[in-house]
Amino acid sequence: MEETDRLILELLARDGRMSYTDIGKETGLSTSAAQQRVRRLEQRGAITGYHARIDPGALDRTLTAFIALRPFDPSQPDDLAERMEPMSEVTSCYSVAGDPSYLIKVQVENPLALEALLTRIRTELAVSTLTTLVLSVPFEDRPVV
């Protein structure tokens, strides 16, 4: 990847709302050239979307946990991710190599809500769980550039 494109990705990773004019100033491109570069990066799939970062506390979801999932019957179809889709408390889902099949990140209101979610996950998905509570988040979702 060209250095200018890499710089544009870095700038947008820090501020997804950065204007084409500001991108141009930071990269030495004209506003229209910056816009064309961003569009090309979107078309190539290097930029997959833009979103707002929401403080989970604003939604009263102050408890974060990671849960490792292991199916009771590994011979069953691997459709856990699809069956978790309606669970809004599950904010991330990773298919992983190793003993658990999936690692999920959840955000809930309190320990009682976590307990209820764990019961729902175990019952609906037929899995065993191993839960790790998050105490603090020194940093999260660093840009990959």
Side-chain angles (χ1 to χ4, degrees), residues 76-88:
Q76 291 299 312
D78 185 11
D79 62 350
L80 291 179
E82 292 83 11
R83 292 189 296 152
M84 278 186 281
E85 191 74 34
M87 299 178 182
S88 65

Side-chain angles (χ1 to χ4, degrees), residues 17-82:
R17 296 180 61 172
M18 183 177 251
S19 71
Y20 296 124
T21 301
D22 289 339
I23 292 171
K25 286 178 186 174
E26 292 286 331
T27 59
L29 297 171
S30 68
T31 300
S32 63
Q35 183 179 17
Q36 289 174 357
R37 291 273 189 133
V38 170
R39 284 198 180 136
R40 261 198 332 243
L41 288 166
E42 291 169 345
Q43 290 168 349
R44 288 185 3 219
I47 297 173
T48 58
Y50 302 88
H51 68 277
R53 285 183 181 240
I54 309 297
D55 175 8
L59 301 172
D60 294 326
R61 292 190 177 186
T62 56
L63 182 68
T64 301
F66 288 94
I67 306 169
L69 306 178
R70 183 181 311 119
F72 290 134
D73 183 358
S75 67
Q76 291 299 312
D78 185 11
D79 62 350
L80 291 179
E82 292 83 11

Side-chain angles (χ1 to χ4, degrees), residues 1-14 23 27 29 37 41 44 46-47 143-145:
M1 175 174 290
E2 188 180 320
E3 192 59 36
T4 302
D5 288 345
R6 189 175 296 279
L7 178 56
I8 290 171
L9 292 175
E10 187 176 315
L11 292 168
L12 288 173
R14 281 190 267 138
I23 292 171
T27 59
L29 297 171
R37 291 273 189 133
L41 288 166
R44 288 185 3 219
I47 297 173
V144 293
V145 292

Side-chain angles (χ1 to χ4, degrees), residues 86-105:
M87 299 178 182
S88 65
E89 302 92 342
V90 178
T91 60
S92 298
C93 175
Y94 305 93
S95 175
V96 297
D99 193 23
S101 298
Y102 287 90
L103 182 64
I104 61 174
K105 177 181 172 186

